[in-house]
Amino acid sequence: MTSRIIAVEPFDLVVFGGAGDLAYRKLLPALFHRHADGQIPAAARIVGVSRRAMSDADYRAATREALGQHVADADREPALVETFLKRLHFIPVDARSDAGWDDLGTLLQKGGGRIRAFYLAVAPELFGTISAKLGGKGLATPATRVIIEKPIGHDLASAVAVNDAIGQIFEEGQIYRIDHYLGKETVQNLMALRFANALFEPLWNAAHVDHVQITVAETIGVAGRGDYYDHAGALRDMVQNHMIQLLCLVAMEPPAEMNADSMRDEKIKVLRSLEPINAHNSARLIVRGQYRAGGGPNGPAPAYASEVANPASATETFIALRAGINNWRWAGVPFYLRTGKRLPTRASEIVVSFRAIPHSIFAPEAGEIEQNRLVIRLQPDEGVKLNLMIKDPGPGGMRLRYVPLDMSFAEAFGIRSPDAYERLILDVIRGNQTLFMRRDEVEAAWAWIDPIAEAWQASNETPKPYPAGTWGPAASIALIERDGRTWYDEVG
Ligand SMILES: NC(=O)c1ccc[n+]([C@@H]2O[C@H](COP(=O)([O-])OP(=O)(O)OC[C@H]3O[C@@H](n4cnc5c(N)ncnc54)[C@H](OP(=O)(O)O)[C@@H]3O)[C@@H](O)[C@H]2O)c1
């Protein structure tokens, strides 16, 4: 079985930062896959832009190499690679000067009134500058869209400034703020599970859900992004965007329709219902950590402070927090969020734990009865499992066993799980903003985050140390155990 492919309209996609890491590692491979599946019409063009001098031929050669590294051999049919590379162009442009803009304009002119998308895969300081130039040079047509990615600001005030600068040139309906977690197959599946089945909705509330855990664990350190990370930390890099977005999708009310504004209207209600965390309660609700030298799956690891060459760094590389949602559906249900670098495994998952049964009819020898859990795994192996108690098969007495019911069907259907960027870039071309963040969502998330960052600053408390390769400071275990719960460990 193959998935249904519907071709999009012809477009010009201009990637500012087209010769950068994000473009070579994610964007161009994603576009290649869509090309290989026949979803991109012959006339569509991809234009890389950056300051360095590169010809079309140079860019095609560099992209061929990048595809070699980031697309599996089996998916890289040589004829398809060649036809893909023919779509590529490169124009040297310095966003901060006037150099190159006319050449870009001339190339785009040839596309007539077709859809134009500008992907700003550059440092966020350039978002406003590039938008102003696009406006000033007359390149922002009504059929133009602009795509930006985190970090959108480092606090509420700076996020408002970025949004204002882009908003000077583009309408909200033209702005696509990517959170690539929302493009993941299993996140889509969460929507299908919740809203295409009658089974879960009656249970999806404080009466039946005991708690929710959202974990984003990385094994890597700061990997060349030390400068950025030391100013951001886990709170701004992971919690403000990816984790809060996941929390919103789990917690939101059913939208009236699966369209952009219905979904975003529901997500923002969750954001506005989040229990404030501030100087009064942050010590009780949040644990911050920073890794010291240690081990882990990647071998011996240096301490964070030496990796970023800042011995006095008070930046957190780990956070565990307990969030609450003050509304009728979720009152009293803790949402535990945990993220960190240099942890023992790479895994991102959402675990919805249902309440324990009210009374057991089984003898103690039958074994312990665990909570039912719905586990939505975003990476590395995307999938959905429902953990249930069953009778241990076979003769003999009644013994109970906790087993996962695997609801991941991509493998069964023989479909490669697409990368999030494949879906998201084509959604931009289709003009579908459902999986992108609206301005008010980004700003509401910062409004919740800012008091946390301010509380840390005011307290002068430094992050708790943890050895690289472990699950963060012991205090993070105490945070959840205090409530009589434990962090989820995968079952069989
Ligand atoms: N890499 C990722 O996986 C990832 C993931 C999520 C978000 N992001 C965000 O995406 C953005 C790009 O990240 P990256 O990792 O791709 O960075 P990168 O590898 O440093 O690439 C930056 C690109 O911007 C170009 N550039 C810099 N200044 C420019 C200017 N004045 N005018 C035109 N082009 C300019 C650079 O090329 P020249 O030097 O030739 O100008 C380069 O192509 C950052 O904001 C990052 O936070 C990245």
Side-chain angles (χ1 to χ4, degrees):
M1 182 175 161
T2 54
S3 55
R4 212 154 43 99
I5 306 287
I6 302 171
V8 296
E9 286 179 40
F11 62 87
D12 285 334
L13 172 67
V14 179
V15 184
F16 281 87
D21 176 69
L22 181 63
Y24 285 138
R25 212 162 43 80
K26 286 289 180 185
L27 308 182
L28 290 161
L31 286 157
F32 170 74
H33 280 299
R34 296 296 85 230
H35 166 86
D37 278 351
Q39 201 160 15
I40 301 186
R45 297 181 297 177
I46 298 160
V47 185
V49 165
S50 83
R51 291 167 302 185
R52 73 197 65 184
M54 257 179 138
S55 64
D56 287 356
D58 294 337
Y59 193 47
R60 289 171 186 169
T63 302
R64 187 197 306 280
E65 203 181 306
L67 296 182
Q69 284 171 20
H70 303 297
V71 176
D73 290 352
D75 295 330
R76 230 175 45 244
E77 199 184 304
L80 287 172
V81 172
E82 293 316 309
T83 48
F84 177 72
L85 294 179
K86 287 207 179 96
R87 297 179 180 284
L88 301 188
H89 301 266
F90 191 86
I91 308 271
V93 175
D94 184 346
R96 294 194 196 275
S97 80
D98 278 332
W101 289 94
D102 291 343
D103 297 335
L104 179 60
T106 307
L107 183 72
L108 291 178
Q109 200 80 45
K110 294 184 190 145
R114 63 166 63 172
I115 293 164
R116 238 175 233 187
F118 293 101
Y119 200 125
L120 310 191
V122 290
E125 300 82 69
L126 291 175
F127 291 172
T129 313
I130 294 176
S131 301
K133 278 277 198 288
L134 291 173
K137 301 280 178 191
L139 301 182
T141 61
T144 292
R145 285 131 209 200
V146 64
I147 308 160
I148 59 171
E149 194 159 345
K150 75 163 194 188
I152 301 173
H154 57 269
D155 57 13
L156 177 57
S158 53
V160 168
V162 169
N163 285 331
D164 279 349
I166 298 173
Q168 299 259 313
I169 306 299
F170 297 101
E171 303 283 337
E172 183 61 30
Q174 295 178 288
I175 305 171
Y176 290 73
R177 296 179 190 83
I178 282 202
D179 187 317
H180 70 271
Y181 274 49
L182 299 188
K184 287 182 179 288
E185 186 76 8
T186 36
V187 174
Q188 306 298 295
N189 218 344
L190 170 63
M191 295 297 94
L193 280 175
R194 280 199 63 190
F195 304 127
N197 295 288
L199 187 62
F200 293 106
E201 179 53 25
L203 304 178
W204 210 259
N205 54 50
H208 299 284
V209 172
D210 177 69
H211 74 281
V212 176
Q213 295 184 18
I214 302 177
T215 295
V216 176
E218 297 181 291
T219 52
I220 54 168
V222 286
R225 294 166 67 225
D227 240 14
Y228 154 74
Y229 196 88
D230 206 34
H231 289 100
L235 182 71
R236 293 183 172 93
D237 187 52
M238 277 290 176
V239 180
Q240 187 273 341
N241 36 65
H242 307 313
M243 299 188 84
I244 287 194
Q245 282 292 322
L246 296 178
L247 178 147
C248 285
L249 292 180
V250 173
M252 72 183 186
E253 294 298 314
E257 289 175 69
M258 179 98 181
N259 66 29
D261 276 333
S262 303
M263 291 267 291
R264 293 149 151 207
D265 288 346
E266 296 309 334
K267 284 197 283 168
I268 195 135
K269 286 184 207 161
V270 176
L271 287 164
R272 290 182 180 145
S273 309
L274 281 171
E275 201 170 280
I277 302 183
N278 49 36
H280 300 297
N281 56 9
S282 76
R284 183 168 50 87
L285 299 176
I286 304 197
V287 172
R288 305 167 78 200
Q290 188 190 83
Y291 61 82
R292 299 290 187 257
N298 304 329
Y304 170 79
S306 68
E307 230 178 317
V308 297
N310 178 10
S313 175
T315 300
E316 76 287 352
T317 59
F318 177 95
I319 284 191
L321 68 84
R322 181 195 148 127
I325 300 174
N326 290 334
N327 65 19
W328 274 45
R329 186 185 284 266
W330 295 116
V333 177
F335 282 67
Y336 299 100
L337 274 47
R338 176 176 60 156
T339 183
K341 288 192 173 293
R342 296 235 185 257
L343 301 187
T345 52
R346 173 174 171 258
S348 298
E349 65 190 8
I350 303 169
V351 181
V352 179
S353 292
F354 294 90
R355 287 191 185 279
I357 54 163
H359 162 73
S360 173
I361 62 169
F362 301 99
E365 305 80 76
E368 205 173 315
I369 301 181
E370 300 257 2
Q371 291 176 334
N372 294 132
R373 289 188 179 90
L374 182 66
V375 181
I376 299 139
R377 183 169 258 249
L378 284 73
Q379 56 194 25
D381 26 293
E382 295 195 40
V384 180
K385 287 177 185 168
L386 183 61
N387 294 341
L388 301 166
M389 298 303 306
I390 60 158
K391 178 192 167 295
D392 206 1
M398 172 65 89
R399 294 237 187 288
L400 299 170
R401 196 154 134 185
Y402 194 46
V403 292
L405 175 65
D406 198 333
M407 302 195 288
S408 322
F409 297 115
E411 242 172 62
F413 290 166
I415 293 171
R416 181 186 62 85
S417 187
D419 186 78
Y421 285 98
E422 296 180 43
R423 169 174 291 114
L424 294 173
I425 296 173
L426 288 211
D427 274 358
V428 174
I429 306 303
R430 292 187 199 99
N432 183 352
Q433 289 186 304
T434 308
L435 300 178
F436 298 83
M437 293 173 294
R438 202 166 57 191
R439 171 179 187 150
D440 53 357
E441 279 181 77
V442 174
E443 292 175 7
W446 278 120
W448 188 70
I449 291 288
D450 276 1
I452 301 176
E454 283 159 17
W456 290 342
Q457 195 127 34
S459 78
N460 273 331
E461 194 193 298
T462 50
K464 295 183 168 41
Y466 64 95
T470 66
W471 279 107
S476 104
I477 295 167
L479 174 92
I480 192 164
E481 288 192 346
R482 231 177 11 237
D483 297 343
R485 303 183 176 98
T486 52
W487 292 108
Y488 173 74
D489 263 334
E490 176 139 20
V491 292

